[in-house]
Amino acid sequence: MLRIVGRNTLSIVQALGDFALFLGRSFRAAAGSRKIVRRIMRAGFEQGVRCLPVILIVGMFTGLVLGLQGYYVLNKFGSEGLLGTLVSLSLVREMGPVLAALMLVGQAGSALAAELGIQRNSEQIAALETMGVSSYAYLVAPRLIASLIVYPLQTALFVTVGLVGGALSGSVLLGLESGVYWSAVERAVESQDVRECFTKAAVFGLLTIGLCSYHGFNAHRNRSSTGARAVSASTTRAVVQSCITVLAADYVITSFLV
Amino acid sequence: MAAPVPEPLLQIEGLHKSFDGHAVLSGASLAVPRGCLVSVLGRSGAGKSVFLKCLADVLRPDAGTIRFDGRLLGAGDVEAWADFRRRCSFLFQSNALFDSLTALENVALPLEQTTGLSGKEIDGRSLEALRQLELDAHRDRYPGQLSGGMQKRLALARAIVTRPELVLFDEPTAGLDPLRRNAVFSMIAKYQRQFGFTAVVVTHDVPEALVASDRVALLDQGRMCFEGVPADFSASNDGVVHDFRDSIAALGSTLAAIRRGEASSSADP
C-alpha cells in the first residue's frame, strides 16, 4: 500500500516537474523566435474569435438563470433590489472566469491538444526540429502568450453578457426596475473584484492551454496506446485535467485573494 | 584503377540503438563521401529508418559516434548539432508537410525561422525552389490537395530551399508503383547533381538504388554487412548480399519448382 502511494506520489511530482519544464522551455524559446507576433495573432484568433459564439451564448444563459434564481430567492426576503449585487459578484468573482475557462478548454483546448497530437504523429514536430526550428517556440509559445491575452478578454465579455442576461431576467421578465439593477451592479463591483477576475482568467488560460499543449505535444509518450488512439487519449486527458485544474486553481486563488 | 573516394562528409562509427531491450542497431558504421549519393539498403525492419533518424538527431543513439565535416556531434554539443541542422535536411518517409500551410508557406518555413532573410528574399527563394521542382503553379494549394508525387516533390523543395550540403532521404519510394519509384529516384539523382548536395537514401528498392547511387551499403542485423560501389555489390558473393540482391531470381526458381511439382503431380496417373 505504502509502495503504491509512494510510486503514485513520485509520478505526480515527476509529471508536475515535467509540465513546469515544458512551460519554462516554451517561454525561453519564445525569446529568440522569429515572426512570433504573427503566430500569436493567429493563436489569438483561434482561441478568441472562434470561441466567441460559445462564450456569448453561455454567458447570456448564465446571466439569465442567475437573474431568475436570484430574484426568487431575494424576493422571499423582500430584497429584490440586491439582484444586481448577486448577479455581478457571482459573475465577476467566480462564474465568469471559471465558466469562460471551461468553455475555452472545450472549444480551443481540445482542438489544440488534438492538433499537436496529430502533428506529433505525422512527424511534423520532428520535421521542425530537423530544420533547426524550435517546436516549443513555433508551436507552443504563441499559444501560451495568446492565452494570457485572450482568456481575460473572453472573461470580460462573458461577464458583460452575463450582466445583460441578469438584467433581462430581472427587469424585462420579472419587472424589477432597470435602474435599481444597474445601480446595484455599480455599487457592488470594486476594482479588487475586477483584478481578481482578470488574475484568475490569466492563470486559468496559462494552465489550461499549457496542459492541452503538453498532452498533445507528448502524445507519442503514451505507453498504453499509439497512433490515432494516442491522440484521442491525450486529448481526453488534456480536457479532463484542464477542467479539474481550473476548479482547483480557482479555490487556491480565491483563498489567497479573499 | 578505381577512382579515389572523396573524403567523407559524414562518418558514422559503431552506432547502437535498442528499444525496450531489443537491439535494432548494433555497431552500424558508414562513411558518406562528399558529393556522393549513398543508398542504404536493407530488409523491412532492418533498422534503416532508425539509423537515419539517429543521424538526424530525431532519435538519440545509445552508443557510437557521428562526425560531420570532421566535427564530432556529441550528445550534449548543442552548437555542433545546430551547425549540422543548418547544413543538413531530412526528407521523411511521410513527407511531414504542414497540412495547414500552403505549398509556398511550407517551403518558406525553414527560411523564415532559421535565416535573417527579408520577406521578399524568402518569397523569391521559395518560389525558385517550387519552380525548380515544377510546383510553382500549385504554390497556393495545401498538401492535401496535391498528389502523392507532388507532395514528395514539395517535401524535396522544402529540403533543398536552405541549400543544404547533406540531404537524408527516409524511404522516399515506399508504397509507390515501379514507374513512380523510378521517377523519384531519377528526381533525387537529378537534383543531387544539379545542387551538388551529398545524399543518403534509405531504401529497399535494389535495382533503382544500384542504378542511381554512387555507393551502396547493406544493413543487416544492426550492422553494415556491405559498403562499396554498385558494381561491387552486383558482383559480391557474400551470402547476405546475394540473398538480398537476387531475391527476385530466388522467387523465380521457387515458383518454377512449384510449377514443376504441379506439372509432375498432374501427370501422375
Side-chain angles (χ1 to χ4, degrees):
Chain A
M1 179 67 186
L2 196 64
R3 187 178 293 168
I4 293 168
V5 171
R7 196 167 49 220
N8 287 337
T9 309
L10 278 176
S11 72
I12 289 169
V13 171
Q14 191 180 15
L16 284 173
D18 200 36
F19 178 60
L21 279 174
F22 177 80
L23 291 182
R25 278 195 198 113
S26 303
F27 280 114
R28 201 179 61 186
S33 180
R34 294 172 202 272
K35 304 207 170 170
I36 193 168
V37 176
R38 201 174 63 184
R39 295 200 305 281
I40 292 172
M41 302 276 276
R42 190 172 176 163
F45 175 79
E46 282 164 8
Q47 291 169 20
V49 178
R50 287 198 185 153
C51 299
L52 205 56
V54 76
I55 289 287
L56 294 177
I57 292 166
V58 176
M60 176 57 73
F61 280 108
T62 305
L64 283 168
V65 169
L66 268 178
L68 271 179
Q69 293 282 13
Y71 183 88
Y72 287 119
V73 172
L74 292 170
N75 191 32
K76 286 182 184 169
F77 306 102
S79 311
E80 309 90 64
L82 291 174
L83 183 66
T85 308
L86 185 142
V87 172
S88 60
L89 289 184
S90 305
L91 281 173
V92 173
R93 285 185 182 174
E94 291 300 331
M95 296 187 82
V98 170
L99 286 179
L102 293 178
M103 293 304 112
L104 285 163
V105 167
Q107 180 104 358
S110 58
L112 171 59
E115 187 182 337
L116 288 177
I118 290 167
Q119 287 185 321
R120 172 65 74 186
N121 249 359
S122 58
E123 297 184 308
Q124 291 174 36
I125 294 177
L128 276 177
E129 296 293 342
T130 61
M131 283 182 225
V133 180
S134 164
S135 47
Y136 290 96
Y138 189 77
L139 297 171
V140 183
R143 265 89 178 224
L144 290 176
I145 296 168
S147 75
L148 292 172
I149 304 160
V150 169
Y151 270 61
L153 286 176
Q154 295 280 46
T155 303
L157 206 62
F158 185 98
V159 170
T160 309
V161 174
L163 287 174
V164 172
L168 281 176
S169 276
S171 307
V172 178
L173 301 177
L174 300 167
L176 181 72
E177 194 65 44
S178 173
V180 172
Y181 175 84
W182 287 111
S183 67
V185 170
E186 196 186 336
R187 276 198 312 275
V189 180
E190 292 174 3
S191 59
Q192 166 68 20
D193 300 318
V194 178
R195 262 203 308 277
E196 186 180 330
C197 175
F198 284 145
T199 306
K200 281 183 177 179
V203 172
F204 295 165
L206 187 66
L207 289 175
T208 58
I209 293 297
L211 272 170
C212 291
S213 303
Y214 175 78
H215 283 295
F217 195 84
N218 294 312
H220 64 304
R221 280 160 62 177
N222 192 332
R223 285 187 172 269
S224 57
S225 47
T226 54
R229 278 185 179 237
V231 175
S232 104
S234 59
T235 306
T236 306
R237 213 167 25 246
V239 172
V240 171
Q241 285 187 11
S242 295
C243 293
I244 294 168
T245 304
V246 165
L247 298 172
D250 183 45
Y251 173 76
V252 174
I253 296 170
T254 306
S255 62
F256 273 109
L257 293 177
V258 165
Chain B
M1 201 175 101
V5 178
E7 56 157 321
L9 178 67
L10 191 64
Q11 180 90 47
I12 303 113
E13 277 170 20
L15 223 53
H16 285 77
K17 181 71 186 171
S18 299
F19 294 98
D20 298 326
H22 170 65
V24 177
L25 297 177
S26 39
S29 301
L30 180 70
V32 181
R34 194 184 292 272
C36 287
L37 196 163
V38 178
S39 289
V40 178
L41 302 165
R43 299 166 202 211
S44 295
K48 304 184 297 294
S49 292
V50 171
F51 177 73
L52 207 64
K53 283 178 179 171
C54 285
L55 302 189
D57 199 28
V58 175
L59 292 173
R60 188 143 294 177
D62 301 330
T65 59
I66 303 169
R67 286 178 193 278
F68 177 68
D69 206 8
R71 188 176 185 182
L72 180 70
L73 301 174
D77 194 344
V78 179
E79 202 186 308
W81 276 109
D83 177 58
F84 174 71
R85 287 199 190 99
R86 265 195 299 276
R87 297 164 65 187
C88 169
S89 285
F90 190 98
L91 212 93
F92 285 81
Q93 186 176 344
S94 61
N95 299 324
L97 294 164
F98 280 82
D99 37 25
S100 57
L101 301 180
T102 63
L104 181 65
E105 288 168 339
N106 262 291
V107 176
L109 177 66
L111 291 178
E112 260 180 20
Q113 294 299 313
T114 60
T115 67
L117 295 173
S118 68
K120 205 174 169 183
E121 284 173 306
I122 289 170
D123 280 351
R125 269 175 68 171
S126 308
L127 279 170
E128 177 66 12
L130 285 176
R131 194 186 57 71
Q132 282 164 334
L133 287 142
E134 295 151 35
L135 284 168
D136 45 336
H138 307 286
R139 50 180 281 184
D140 296 323
R141 288 200 181 183
Y142 290 92
Q145 297 171 314
L146 300 174
S147 69
M150 284 176 173
Q151 287 184 18
K152 199 63 84 185
R153 277 189 280 150
L154 180 58
L156 183 57
R158 188 177 69 180
I160 60 167
V161 76
T162 51
R163 295 172 188 164
E165 291 169 53
L166 174 70
V167 183
L168 308 172
F169 295 86
D170 186 10
E171 307 246 15
T173 54
L176 298 181
D177 61 62
L179 283 177
R180 286 192 191 279
R181 276 208 308 263
N182 289 345
V184 169
F185 261 103
S186 57
M187 177 185 84
I188 292 170
K190 178 184 162 192
Y191 292 115
Q192 189 261 333
R193 276 153 187 82
Q194 186 177 332
F195 297 109
F197 56 78
T198 306
V200 179
V201 182
V202 150
T203 182
H204 46 235
D205 299 323
V206 183
E208 291 86 350
L210 290 181
V211 171
S213 313
D214 298 306
R215 293 179 71 77
V216 290
L218 180 63
L219 184 67
D220 187 66
Q221 296 188 340
R223 290 167 168 270
M224 295 295 172
C225 63
F226 176 87
E227 196 183 340
V229 294
D232 290 346
F233 186 84
S234 300
S236 173
N237 290 322
D238 181 272
V240 181
V241 174
H242 182 272
D243 286 352
F244 192 75
R245 183 188 59 208
D246 300 328
S247 56
I248 293 177
L251 173 66
S253 339
T254 310
L255 288 175
I258 291 168
R259 284 188 193 116
R260 274 198 304 276
E262 279 173 359
S264 60
S265 61
S266 63
D268 286 343

